[in-house]
Amino acid sequence: MTKRSTSPGRTSPSSGSPGRTSPRGASPSSTGQDSAAAMESLYPFLYSGGTPDLDAVLAEVRASTVAKAREITELRQVIAGQDAGRLAGCAQEMAARFAAGGRLLAFGNGGSATDAQQLATLFLDPGPGERALPAFCLANDTAVITALCNDVGVEVVFARQIAAFGQPRDVAIGLSTSGNSDNLLRAFDEASRRGMLTIGLAGYEGGKMAELSSIDYLFVAPSASIHRIQEAQTTIYQVLWELTAQEVSHVSRDTG
């Protein structure tokens, strides 16, 4: 049974990350106008016209920064409240997989691929005095990625790698802001078929990832802001690493 949380009151996008790309076939002038409009919506105090009042601009920048910090702090508190127990349980299961010789396979698209890389690095190279745990990111190898995209299709870019590398004792972690990326959904299904522990990180209400029975643990950052979602996901996988590292040390002492 999938262990997940629900996050009411949010609107989920159809797929991908909204506001990141322009419609196919749009003219250069329209895409430039869209970019300018998006920038103005983010920083209206820079586009108010006339001679800027430096003190007023700095005051608005400070207010904007404080507001964003408050948003992510509140979001982290919501996640801690709804998922603290599940995070601990997930870490215990991850530790058991590592103790059995398993590895962590992380994956995601775009900015989430960067987060997947950071997640894998955190486990593999946690720093002095910390135990390294085997992990790698499925978005790292450009030769494999481009070959699969060109010869088969982007929708199988992670599932094919899991089919090649995945073992029942391994852990699969996929990150998405929307929760709707088809190549992640396929990857989770493939990982589940192979008996891997599957963990998803998503935003909004979880998107299509929330509908999958192939995800063992789904952690949702209930926000409509991609920036806040990704910041919260960073916190989630940092906590997972800390808890897993503690559990692995306990398992090692108990079995040593």
Side-chain angles (χ1 to χ4, degrees):
M1 179 179 294
T2 304
K3 307 177 183 69
R4 66 184 73 244
S5 61
T6 58
S7 304
R10 302 289 176 177
T11 301
S12 177
S14 57
S15 64
S17 300
R20 294 300 179 89
T21 57
S22 299
R24 187 173 298 177
S27 68
S29 60
S30 66
T31 56
Q33 291 169 356
D34 291 343
S35 298
M39 187 66 69
E40 184 173 354
S41 68
L42 287 173
Y43 306 103
F45 44 81
L46 297 179
Y47 295 84
S48 57
T51 303
D53 181 333
L54 181 57
D55 290 338
V57 169
L58 290 176
E60 291 201 49
V61 170
R62 283 193 294 269
S64 175
T65 302
V66 169
K68 291 172 183 176
R70 185 182 299 112
E71 287 175 8
I72 185 57
T73 299
E74 292 174 352
L75 181 57
R76 286 168 175 152
Q77 290 172 342
V78 168
I79 294 169
Q82 69 185 17
D83 288 331
R86 295 173 58 255
L87 283 164
C90 181
Q92 289 177 342
E93 294 196 39
M94 291 176 68
R97 301 289 178 129
F98 283 120
R103 305 158 300 168
L104 184 152
L105 281 62
F107 47 94
N109 298 290
S112 295
T114 302
D115 280 325
Q117 291 171 335
Q118 177 59 30
L119 190 162
T121 301
L122 182 61
F123 279 79
L124 187 62
D125 186 17
E130 300 291 348
R131 177 176 174 178
L133 297 170
F136 63 99
C137 175
L138 300 183
N140 278 358
D141 193 326
T142 54
V144 171
I145 293 293
T146 54
L148 287 170
C149 288
N150 184 66
D151 298 342
V152 186
V154 69
E155 67 276 2
V156 301
V157 73
F158 301 129
R160 285 292 183 94
Q161 293 187 75
I162 288 174
F165 302 132
Q167 300 293 328
R169 61 180 177 268
D170 292 337
V171 179
I173 300 185
L175 301 94
S176 171
T177 53
S178 69
N180 293 326
S181 301
D182 186 52
N183 53 16
L184 263 73
L185 305 180
R186 289 174 180 246
F188 283 123
D189 286 344
E190 183 64 37
S192 180
R193 279 195 292 269
R194 294 179 177 277
M196 298 170 66
L197 176 65
T198 54
I199 304 166
L201 275 65
Y204 297 88
E205 294 181 332
K208 294 179 181 178
M209 286 169 60
E211 303 171 4
L212 287 187
S213 61
S214 55
I215 298 180
D216 296 315
Y217 288 91
L218 177 62
F219 299 104
V220 175
S223 172
S225 165
I226 291 177
H227 307 90
R228 303 296 88 77
I229 292 169
Q230 292 182 320
E231 289 166 355
Q233 289 179 342
T234 300
T235 302
I236 291 170
Y237 65 69
Q238 177 73 36
V239 169
L240 275 178
W241 168 73
E242 292 181 9
L243 294 175
T244 301
Q246 292 174 9
E247 289 293 333
V248 167
S249 66
H250 296 159
V251 172
S252 298
R253 285 199 297 270
D254 292 342
T255 59

